[in-house]
């Protein structure tokens, strides 16, 4: 196996990448309320921490590991419900170290920073029961196999199987990519388990890890059935549909990963022209993963995580070449960098200006052609630099110009995907149907309970005719009953129903409505609305309201 020379402070730079990744992933981690998909698994973790028997969704690693946090804390919070994904997503920055013999040390380190700051990877690291477990454990499994550390590989392989349904999409994509690559690259393949003792050791370690981690040290036996349920759950994605269009998938890459996308294009062209096998393999993997997402009927934006690893690896390989600058060419490269950034800023201002005019107006058309003209001017400028000075100067200066200009857009996407702009700036990478006023509803229920009983959580609560795990999670500290219809012979302190007239409740209760599940209309928005979202993060949504009814005799004026 070929070894490559490492450089000074490499280890500390990986620590810096981890600290950046971890800081972004835990900042305001509990600010956005859990939606129904997240709350389903979080509630199961809470029930396990309280020694209750419950059926598990096919995310056993998340549920069991989070239940330990809830047990230690004595309850569940939005922050703790997302802490394990944030931690695992941050640790993923160390995975490139396991491939430094194939990518070389500098591209591997750059890949660690791409992972730390990638908007998509940041977003799923801040979501409960997300695909981050599948992608992280799967990459670590491949990395330890690459380093011939099969005991660690078997441990992470077991954790991968416990990660959830998303792992199967990644596994299928990588297998198809490897088979396509082998058709064009007929090298002999040495099976790592050809030795029977190695195979037996791997299998034993795998089984021990799978059974102990999958049952929380034999205390939750149905964790194993939840793991095996991930495969049929994955196949359901071929029989159901989604409002996420293939156009949204492509737009997402252009908006959230513009720098990685441009650098990857340069790397792909170079790899094909020079027959660079690692670039060709990463290219095949990226396009296969992308096509699988596009043609998956129940596609979600989060499925793109399997595209992001090869995409960022290609970008890191290309960016690493831009560090080799000779002293005598620094001034020329700085000039090209400044020119590239200047034209990009001019193009962005023209694009942003389109939001202030109607689509059919003359000003809108003028801004549109200014945008196209700016991009053409940038391409011509780099071509003239290549012809007048050198192609190397144009390439390196252009790359650093892209790093500055598109890197700023990527960082903006990272902070937005992390939810640091607030709930009123929606992002494609967020989970759908976020409860808009979950925190306010919870506070209201606590105030009513405290006013009537003297305790924030003592009032009885009935949720009638609503299927919303996020609602049950928001009221998790109360004694909550969930029923299809309210029993007329009962009179609970608080009743929560859909937003509709209910004469029986109106006679004995006072009601307050709340905005609940908020669904953004991505799939029906026209081009001008998308332009406004890209620049201002504004888009239309459909809302759902619910009513919290408090018994009339709770109030002083009765």
């Amino acid at each position: 196996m070929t070894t490559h020379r490492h450089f000074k402070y490499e280890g500390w730079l990986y620590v810096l990448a981890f600290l950046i990744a971890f800081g972004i992933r835990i900042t305001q981690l509990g600010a956005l309320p859990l939606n129904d998909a997240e709350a389903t698994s979080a509630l199961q973790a809470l029930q396990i921490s309280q020694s209750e028997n419950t059926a598990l969704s096919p995310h056993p690693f998340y549920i069991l590991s989070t239940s330990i946090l809830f047990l230690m804390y004595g309850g569940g919070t939005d922050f703790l419900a997302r802490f394990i994904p944030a931690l695992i997503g941050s640790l993923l920055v160390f995975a490139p170290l396991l491939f430094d013999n194939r990518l070389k040390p500098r591209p591997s380190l750059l890949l660690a920073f791409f992972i730390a700051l990638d908007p998509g990877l940041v977003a799923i690291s801040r979501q409960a029961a997300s695909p981050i477990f599948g992608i992280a454990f799967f990459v670590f499994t491949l990395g330890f196999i690459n380093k011939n550390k099969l005991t660690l590989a078997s441990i992470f392989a077991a954790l991968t199987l416990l990660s959830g349904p998303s792992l199967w999409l990644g596994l299928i994509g990588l297998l198809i990519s490897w088979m396509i690559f082998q058709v064009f690259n007929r090298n002999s393949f040495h099976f790592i388990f050809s030795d029977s003792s190695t195979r037996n050791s791997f299998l034993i370690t795998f089984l021990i890890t799978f059974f102990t981690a999958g049952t929380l040290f034999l205390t939750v036996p149905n964790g194993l059935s939840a793991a095996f349920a991930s495969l049929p759950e994955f196949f359901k994605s071929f029989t159901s549909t989604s409002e996420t269009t293939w156009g949204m998938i492509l737009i997402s890459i252009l908006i959230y990963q513009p720098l990685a996308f441009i650098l990857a294009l340069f790397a792909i062209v170079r790899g094909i022209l020079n027959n660079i096998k690692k670039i060709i393999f990463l290219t095949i993997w990226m396009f296969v993963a992308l096509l699988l997402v596009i043609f998956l009927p129940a596609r979600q934006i989060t499925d793109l995580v399997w595209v992001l690893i090869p995409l960022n690896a290609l970008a890191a390989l290309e960016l690493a070449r831009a560090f080799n600058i000779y002293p005598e060419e620094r001034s020329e490269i700085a000039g090209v960098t400044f020119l590239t950034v200047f034209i990009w800023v001019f193009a962005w201002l023209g694009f942003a200006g389109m939001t202030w005019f109607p689509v059919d107006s003359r000003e809108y058309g003028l801004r549109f052609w200014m945008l196209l003209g700016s991009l053409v001017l940038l391409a011509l400028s780099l071509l003239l630099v290549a012809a007048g000075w050198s192609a190397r100067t144009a390439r390196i200066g252009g790359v650093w110009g892209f790093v500055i200009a598109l890197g700023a857009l990527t960082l903006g996407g990272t902070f937005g995907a992390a939810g640091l702009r607030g709930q009123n700036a929606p992002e494609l990478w967020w989970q759908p149907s976020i409860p808009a006023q979950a925190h306010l509803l919870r506070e209201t229920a606590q105030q009513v309970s405290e006013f009537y009983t003297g305790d924030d959580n003592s009032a009885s609560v009935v949720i009638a005719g609503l299927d919303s795990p996020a609602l049950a999670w928001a009221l998790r500290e109360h004694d909550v009953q969930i029923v299809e219809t309210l029993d007329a012979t009962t009179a609970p302190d608080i009743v929560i129903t859909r937003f509709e007239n209910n004469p029986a409740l109106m006679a004995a209760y006072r009601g307050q409505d709340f905005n609940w599940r908020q669904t953004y209309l991505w799939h029906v928005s026209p081009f001008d609305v998308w332009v406004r979202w890209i620049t201002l993060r504004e888009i239309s949504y459909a809302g759902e309201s619910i009513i919290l009814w408090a018994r009339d005799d709770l109030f002083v004026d009765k």
Side-chain angles (χ1 to χ4, degrees):
M1 185 177 292
T2 304
T3 58
H4 298 279
R5 184 172 60 86
H6 293 260
F7 49 89
K8 193 175 182 181
Y9 303 126
E10 182 181 356
W12 288 109
L13 289 172
Y14 272 99
V15 172
L16 176 62
F18 170 77
L19 292 176
I20 291 173
F22 191 61
I24 293 175
R25 284 158 174 79
I26 66 167
T27 301
Q28 297 182 22
L29 187 58
L32 289 178
L34 270 63
N35 75 339
D36 288 334
E38 294 178 288
T40 297
S41 297
L43 282 170
Q44 293 168 4
L46 183 62
Q47 290 167 343
I48 290 174
S49 71
Q50 297 169 345
S51 301
E52 298 179 16
N53 293 324
T54 180
L56 301 186
S57 57
H59 300 277
F61 179 84
Y62 166 78
I63 294 169
L64 298 179
S65 60
T66 302
S67 70
I68 298 175
L69 282 184
F70 289 169
L71 179 64
M72 294 171 60
Y73 180 75
T77 67
D78 290 352
F79 179 90
L80 289 178
R82 294 181 174 132
F83 181 78
I84 298 296
L87 177 61
I88 299 300
S90 303
L91 291 173
L92 184 59
V93 302
F94 293 112
L97 273 172
L98 303 175
F99 299 93
D100 57 1
N101 60 316
R102 299 184 184 275
L103 298 178
K104 297 182 181 179
R106 180 177 287 172
S108 296
L109 179 61
L110 289 173
L111 177 56
F113 280 94
F114 273 105
I115 291 172
L117 296 171
D118 184 275
L121 293 174
V122 167
I124 65 169
S125 298
R126 293 170 62 92
Q127 297 170 6
S130 77
I132 192 61
F133 299 106
I135 188 89
F137 293 146
F138 187 53
V139 170
F140 275 115
T141 300
L142 297 177
F144 284 120
I145 290 175
N146 179 60
K147 290 292 187 179
N148 201 31
K149 298 185 177 185
L150 300 184
T151 299
L152 289 172
S154 64
I155 292 174
F156 279 95
L159 297 180
T160 302
L161 191 57
L162 296 169
S163 298
S166 66
L167 78 95
W168 301 108
L169 184 65
L171 181 60
I172 290 172
L174 188 59
L175 286 175
I176 294 174
S177 304
W178 178 81
M179 289 187 290
I180 294 174
F181 182 71
Q182 290 300 308
V183 171
F184 299 100
N185 183 54
R186 299 180 181 278
N187 292 336
S188 60
F189 176 69
H190 301 286
F191 192 51
I192 59 171
F193 301 132
S194 56
D195 180 70
S196 60
S197 61
T198 301
R199 182 171 60 249
N200 292 337
S201 175
F202 183 96
L203 183 60
I204 291 171
T205 307
F206 172 87
L207 291 175
I208 291 174
T209 305
F210 182 71
F211 278 97
T212 54
T215 61
L216 197 60
F217 301 99
L218 306 180
T219 60
V220 187
N222 57 345
L224 297 181
S225 60
F228 292 120
S230 67
L231 186 56
E233 184 68 21
F234 169 69
F235 283 122
K236 286 182 182 178
S237 61
F238 290 94
T239 58
S240 56
T241 57
S242 168
E243 293 183 346
T244 302
T245 65
W246 64 268
M248 291 168 57
I249 297 293
L250 298 180
I251 288 174
S252 173
I253 295 177
L254 295 176
I255 300 305
Y256 288 102
Q257 287 86 19
L259 176 59
F261 179 74
I262 293 294
L263 292 176
L265 287 182
F266 290 159
I268 290 170
V269 172
R270 180 169 60 89
I272 293 174
L273 293 177
N274 299 305
N275 194 29
I276 303 175
K277 293 180 179 179
K278 61 187 172 185
I279 291 181
I280 292 174
F281 174 75
L282 289 171
T283 302
I284 295 172
W285 184 12
M286 183 182 74
F287 280 106
V288 168
L290 180 59
L291 290 174
L292 283 175
V293 175
I294 288 175
F295 289 107
L296 192 68
R299 71 184 76 84
Q300 299 293 330
I301 293 294
T302 52
D303 294 328
L304 273 176
V305 294
W306 296 102
V307 180
L308 299 183
I309 295 300
L311 175 69
N312 285 311
L314 288 168
L317 286 168
E318 188 63 26
L319 183 56
R321 301 176 68 233
F323 282 86
N324 299 319
I325 302 176
Y326 304 126
E328 62 272 14
E329 60 183 2
R330 288 174 181 168
S331 58
E332 290 86 354
I333 290 176
V336 176
T337 300
F338 176 79
L339 176 65
T340 303
V341 173
F342 179 82
I343 296 177
W344 266 114
V345 171
F346 182 77
W348 175 258
L349 291 176
F351 179 75
M354 294 168 61
T355 61
W356 303 107
F357 304 102
V359 177
D360 56 352
S361 67
R362 179 176 177 275
E363 291 82 2
Y364 189 92
L366 180 62
R367 297 275 181 173
F368 178 77
W369 288 111
M370 285 175 60
L371 171 63
L372 291 183
S374 300
L375 299 179
V376 172
L377 177 61
L378 176 59
L380 289 176
S381 300
L382 294 177
L383 288 174
L384 289 174
V385 170
W389 279 330
S390 70
R392 173 183 167 82
T393 300
R395 176 180 61 81
I396 297 179
V399 166
W400 282 112
F402 292 144
V403 168
I404 296 172
L406 299 183
L409 292 179
T410 300
L411 282 176
T414 298
F415 293 131
L420 302 184
R421 292 173 177 160
Q423 194 169 328
N424 294 325
E427 301 288 342
L428 273 172
W429 276 90
W430 287 359
Q431 289 275 15
S433 302
I434 294 176
Q437 294 184 322
H439 295 158
L440 181 59
L441 182 141
R442 178 171 177 245
E443 291 172 2
T444 302
Q446 289 177 335
Q447 290 171 1
V448 171
S449 178
E450 195 276 335
F451 181 77
Y452 182 58
T453 68
D455 185 272
D456 286 352
N457 305 308
S458 294
S460 57
V461 179
V462 171
I463 299 174
L466 273 169
D467 180 17
S468 176
L471 182 55
W473 171 259
L475 300 172
R476 61 192 175 276
E477 295 174 345
H478 296 262
D479 180 18
V480 177
Q481 288 184 298
I482 301 175
V483 297
E484 288 292 330
T485 57
L486 184 65
D487 188 346
T489 63
T490 62
D493 300 324
I494 296 173
V495 179
I496 300 177
T497 67
R498 297 183 184 276
F499 187 82
E500 57 189 11
N501 289 328
N502 194 319
L505 286 174
M506 292 174 66
Y509 287 80
R510 296 185 185 183
Q512 174 64 52
D513 63 296
F514 294 88
N515 294 328
W516 196 238
R517 286 176 286 216
Q518 201 163 272
T519 303
Y520 298 102
L521 305 178
W522 306 105
H523 62 294
V524 295
S525 297
F527 176 75
D528 60 316
V529 174
W530 276 96
V531 171
R532 191 168 185 83
W533 171 76
I534 292 170
T535 55
L536 302 176
R537 287 307 193 262
E538 295 178 1
I539 197 165
S540 301
Y541 63 88
E544 176 190 7
S545 295
I546 59 177
I547 299 180
L548 184 149
W549 302 91
R551 216 172 61 228
D552 213 6
D553 60 0
L554 302 183
F555 297 94
V556 175
D557 60 346
K558 291 300 290 181

